[in-house]
Amino acid sequence: MVKKHLDSLYADGTKGEVFTHLMELISSKENTRMIYRTTKGNTESSTVGVDKRTVQDLAKLSEERYAALIQK
């Protein structure tokens, strides 16, 4: 559901649509869960983030803890 919504937003953006309240979408629980699943599945990446964590470090977190970090 979130992916379809994001795809729709992307399509509207390519047509020049202007959006507001994007932080609500970015930090929604549904979106953070999708980000978590995508990150956890990205086992090839070894890039360290600004918080000094790798994808492998984040994959060890529970979905709830990961969502809390994203929303923070």
Side-chain angles (χ1 to χ4, degrees), residues 5 15 29 40 69 72:
H5 185 65
K15 297 174 191 167
K29 286 190 184 257
K40 194 166 183 172
L69 285 173
K72 193 175 183 181

Side-chain angles (χ1 to χ4, degrees), residues 42-69:
N42 187 4
T43 58
E44 299 297 317
S45 177
S46 61
T47 304
V48 177
V50 296
D51 60 358
K52 309 295 185 223
R53 296 180 191 197
T54 65
V55 169
Q56 291 78 16
D57 295 327
L58 296 173
K60 294 175 187 174
L61 300 174
S62 70
E63 189 171 315
E64 292 78 24
R65 180 68 183 129
Y66 187 87
L69 285 173

Side-chain angles (χ1 to χ4, degrees), residues 4-62:
K4 285 184 182 180
H5 185 65
L6 293 175
D7 290 345
S8 175
L9 288 173
Y10 176 78
D12 291 344
T14 61
K15 297 174 191 167
E17 183 79 26
V18 176
F19 303 101
T20 59
H21 306 290
L22 290 178
M23 284 308 293
E24 292 171 18
L25 175 65
I26 292 167
S27 63
S28 73
K29 286 190 184 257
E30 296 83 9
N31 193 47
T32 55
R33 286 185 180 119
M34 183 179 71
I35 294 167
Y36 174 80
R37 289 189 299 272
T38 302
T39 301
K40 194 166 183 172
N42 187 4
T43 58
E44 299 297 317
S45 177
S46 61
T47 304
V48 177
V50 296
D51 60 358
K52 309 295 185 223
R53 296 180 191 197
T54 65
V55 169
Q56 291 78 16
D57 295 327
L58 296 173
K60 294 175 187 174
L61 300 174
S62 70

